[in-house]
Amino acid sequence: MASPAISHLHSPRSTLAGGAPRATHDPVWVRWLLTGLALLFVAFFLVLPLVSVFAEALRRGVGAYFAAFNDADAFSAIRLTLLAAAISVPVNLVFGVAAAWTIAKFSFPGKSLLLTLIDLPFAVSPVISGLIYVLVFGAQGWFGSWFSDHDIKIIFAVPGIVLATTFVTFPFVAREIIPLMQAQGTDEEYAAITLGASGWQTFWRVTLPNIKWGLFYGVILCNARAMGEFGAVSVVSGHIRGETNTIPLHVEILYNEYNFVAAFAVASLLAVLAIITLVLKSFIEWKYNQGRAET
Amino acid sequence: MSLFRSKRSALPGFNLSLGYTVFYLSLIVLVPLSAVFIKTSGMTWESFLQAVGSPRVLASYRISFGASFLAALVNLVFGLLLAWVLARYPFPGKKVIDALVDLPFALPTAVAGIALTAIYAKNGWIGQYLEPLGIHVAFSELGVLVALTFIGLPFVVRTLQPVIEELEPEIEEASATLGANRWQTITRVILPELVPPLLTGFALAFARALGEYGSVVFISGNMPMRTEIVPLLIITKLEQYDYRGATAIAAVMLIASFVLLLIINLLQKWSRRYHRI
């Protein structure tokens, strides 16, 4: 569902805006006024919140900033966030490739339904994304008693956090590479098969190089969401300090304890992650469009 | 089987990839989601109505739907402005501004929530100027609106931007040649072209805002009947071990989300057909 909003890769950018002045151009004062308004809006609405994270984190100086990280709970929150991303991103990457191969290379009944179902997690509230796993694995849930009999904890434990993270990041990779693979068609794969390549050889040497930027793009967005997810993880975590807190949940705890400097210091890690994500995203878009221009 | 075979291409891996896709989709998404409806169907009609229709729950629908609608409306205006400026006017630093539009996607919602609260609080960078004017943003309905507008902005911009970039210059030239002034060209030629993507962007922003939790809980103050959004109410019910109540409300919200998803799919189809002609 969020595809048109996230993705730039599939829409070729025209170069109209930079061309020669047209008789149909807006008057200069209109251009200045609209550009000024847009910049003002971006400055107040987007830049200010981002800057405020770092300003609040450094309010009591660099020493207090770094003190926030000298804490076992913060450390374990960072470790859990990395773990959840390290599992959910590769799992959804494999799924995305399998789904894209099915949908882009073959025709079969029910294809558009499958596409819609893959998008479902984008339409579900994060809170409900957590709730569904409580209903399945929680103490009152379908398999809850079986798991508790076998001494396996899923809800209020690490597996629940990984599951919820996997759910909310489910469509990201698939969403990026399905349209890309569809646009590329099947000619190159047919050529490879005809020349005697096996299925896996075709995939590794022909398909994968063609979709590598799309994959990279999907993985970056998937990772950003995996590390930053709050609502879904909040429902299944149980907020056990040092055990089931991710970075965003640790931020919430510190904030609710009025430990603002530490909360913003830990939050600044996620803000840096967001900036890196945006830079990489722009880089891939640039690289991809360059590749298009050359061919 | 023969029907399938005739449609099958010579490429390998169909059974494996389709099988894996359907299995994984069912395991992670379909089976857990079905739990909401199966659990709800176990309730009696009276207890369901009581759970989804109590005054506090009704107030939370009003806040969630109302604030999401207003936020999507605000995004329609500023999203159009940003998309237009980014697509049409050259200015220094444009690449940075273009990348920044995606900040609400990239910045975790909890971070956005505490940052917006810090800015709009009584002593915050913006709040200190609004407070003397009697405008309270943090811990009020307005705060919910600000947070939902923040997270919805990229949807409108990113839906509109490619459409504006691909508008044929010829139609504007034709309009100018036929004697229309710039204002007439914009309102009668360009804007009608932008109606489908505007509606799509609006629906996407609205749908996203409806489910949003992280950015709102910090700035809203979470006052029942006033600033308590539906996702927060679901969490509150869970914390009180009222699983049935939480699940029933979740079922109502899921149905709303699915209807929105359907509308968005139809809008996107319309939009695509519109622009092929």
Side-chain angles (χ1 to χ4, degrees):
Chain A
M1 156 186 137
S3 68
I6 293 177
S7 183
H8 275 266
L9 286 186
H10 323 305
S11 59
R13 298 239 165 161
S14 66
T15 47
L16 291 176
R22 280 193 255 125
T24 48
H25 264 1
D26 299 323
V28 175
W29 69 269
V30 174
R31 273 196 263 172
W32 279 77
L33 180 72
L34 292 182
T35 311
L37 276 176
L39 289 178
L40 216 62
F41 179 74
V42 169
F44 274 97
F45 210 65
L46 298 175
V47 178
L48 216 54
L50 187 62
V51 174
S52 82
V53 174
F54 296 98
E56 295 288 332
L58 292 166
R59 182 165 281 230
R60 299 240 167 77
V62 181
Y65 177 82
F66 284 107
F69 301 106
N70 194 12
D71 167 31
D73 291 341
F75 197 71
S76 85
I78 294 170
R79 215 175 36 207
L80 182 56
T81 291
L82 292 177
L83 176 74
I87 296 173
S88 59
V89 174
V91 166
N92 285 333
L93 173 67
V94 172
F95 162 74
V97 173
W101 181 264
T102 320
I103 287 168
K105 305 294 180 192
F106 302 94
S107 60
F108 55 92
K111 196 189 215 171
S112 61
L113 176 69
L114 186 62
L115 262 173
T116 309
L117 291 178
I118 289 173
D119 267 353
L120 268 190
F122 277 153
V124 175
S125 166
V127 167
I128 298 176
S129 311
L131 169 74
I132 58 177
Y133 290 105
V134 174
L135 294 179
V136 175
F137 296 112
Q140 325 265 317
W142 284 344
F143 307 118
S145 55
W146 187 87
F147 279 106
S148 67
D149 288 346
H150 291 76
D151 224 18
I152 304 171
K153 273 199 79 139
I154 293 195
I155 299 306
F156 306 145
V158 175
I161 289 171
V162 173
L163 275 173
T165 307
T166 305
F167 180 92
V168 294
T169 57
F170 184 88
F172 277 100
V173 178
R175 260 279 138 219
E176 282 313 317
I177 56 176
I178 288 171
L180 205 59
M181 268 204 204
Q182 276 177 329
Q184 281 162 354
T186 50
D187 293 351
E188 292 185 33
E189 279 81 7
Y190 274 127
I193 299 273
T194 315
L195 292 171
S198 75
W200 285 112
Q201 279 175 324
T202 307
F203 174 73
W204 286 106
R205 304 224 187 131
V206 177
T207 311
L208 205 57
N210 273 338
I211 57 166
K212 62 172 191 256
W213 291 117
L215 268 184
F216 192 23
Y217 198 83
V219 163
I220 286 168
L221 297 179
C222 186
N223 180 65
R225 181 72 195 268
M227 291 192 170
E229 177 53 26
F230 178 69
V233 168
S234 175
V235 174
V236 294
S237 130
H239 307 276
I240 309 162
R241 279 187 98 134
E243 275 183 45
T244 62
N245 270 336
T246 60
I247 301 177
L249 296 177
H250 190 60
V251 170
E252 184 196 22
I253 288 187
L254 292 169
Y255 190 86
N256 288 342
E257 287 171 347
Y258 302 103
N259 194 349
F260 294 133
V261 168
F264 279 98
V266 177
S268 74
L269 284 183
L270 294 171
V272 169
L273 171 76
I275 295 170
I276 293 173
T277 304
L278 292 182
V279 170
L280 283 176
K281 191 172 165 298
S282 304
F283 171 75
I284 298 169
E285 277 160 17
W286 172 75
K287 199 81 190 158
Y288 180 81
N289 288 331
Q290 209 182 30
R292 281 176 85 101
E294 276 166 14
T295 49
Chain B
M1 229 18 230
S2 59
L3 181 80
F4 268 61
R5 201 160 291 241
S6 67
K7 287 190 173 180
R8 215 150 133 190
S9 76
L11 293 177
F14 176 67
N15 290 336
L16 177 71
S17 60
L18 179 68
Y20 181 73
T21 302
V22 172
F23 170 74
Y24 184 72
L25 176 72
S26 310
L27 193 74
I28 299 288
V29 179
L30 300 182
V31 173
L33 268 182
S34 71
V36 171
F37 296 107
I38 293 171
K39 290 260 168 188
T40 308
S41 67
M43 295 171 77
T44 63
W45 190 237
E46 286 76 38
S47 61
F48 175 75
L49 283 184
Q50 209 170 11
V52 302
S54 75
R56 186 171 169 189
V57 181
L58 290 178
S60 78
Y61 296 144
R62 198 171 43 78
I63 294 152
S64 271
F65 282 89
S68 299
F69 187 86
L70 286 178
L73 221 53
V74 174
N75 278 326
L76 211 55
V77 175
F78 285 100
L80 176 61
L81 170 71
L82 263 173
W84 181 261
V85 168
L86 284 171
R88 284 296 173 101
Y89 306 149
F91 58 91
K94 184 163 158 170
K95 288 231 162 72
V96 180
I97 303 294
D98 195 17
L100 267 174
V101 168
D102 283 325
L103 182 73
F105 279 144
L107 193 69
T109 53
V111 181
I114 61 171
L116 289 173
T117 313
I119 293 175
Y120 290 100
K122 220 179 287 177
N123 51 2
W125 287 345
I126 295 180
Q128 60 180 316
Y129 301 107
L130 296 180
E131 210 70 24
L133 304 173
I135 305 170
H136 308 285
V137 180
F139 316 120
S140 78
E141 292 88 337
L142 212 50
V144 180
L145 183 63
V146 167
L148 294 182
T149 307
F150 179 82
I151 55 130
L153 178 71
F155 289 93
V156 179
V157 180
R158 293 309 186 212
T159 315
L160 276 168
Q161 206 176 345
V163 179
I164 297 178
E165 278 168 355
E166 279 163 30
L167 283 179
E168 304 279 340
E170 284 84 355
I171 58 166
E172 283 169 64
E173 279 158 17
S175 162
T177 317
L178 293 171
N181 63 32
R182 187 68 190 147
W183 179 247
Q184 286 170 321
T185 304
I186 287 179
T187 51
R188 300 212 194 145
V189 178
I190 299 178
L191 269 185
E193 288 271 337
L194 298 182
V195 168
L198 274 171
L199 285 175
T200 310
F202 178 88
L204 284 167
F206 179 74
R208 171 68 210 269
L210 207 52
E212 176 58 17
Y213 172 71
S215 59
V216 179
V217 283
F218 294 100
I219 201 169
S220 74
N222 305 329
M223 290 161 277
M225 313 298 290
R226 260 195 70 203
T227 61
E228 189 176 56
I229 53 168
V230 181
L232 177 73
L233 190 60
I234 293 176
I235 288 211
T236 310
K237 298 252 175 204
L238 281 177
E239 278 166 0
Q240 295 161 350
Y241 301 102
D242 181 6
Y243 287 91
R244 281 166 166 267
T247 311
I249 300 171
V252 171
M253 292 311 276
L254 271 181
I255 289 169
S257 300
F258 293 162
V259 170
L260 274 169
L261 187 64
L262 187 75
I263 293 173
I264 289 163
N265 276 344
L266 292 175
L267 279 172
Q268 279 172 341
K269 250 180 218 152
W270 179 40
S271 196
R272 240 168 278 154
R273 190 169 313 149
Y274 200 84
H275 284 284
R276 207 175 295 143
I277 296 166

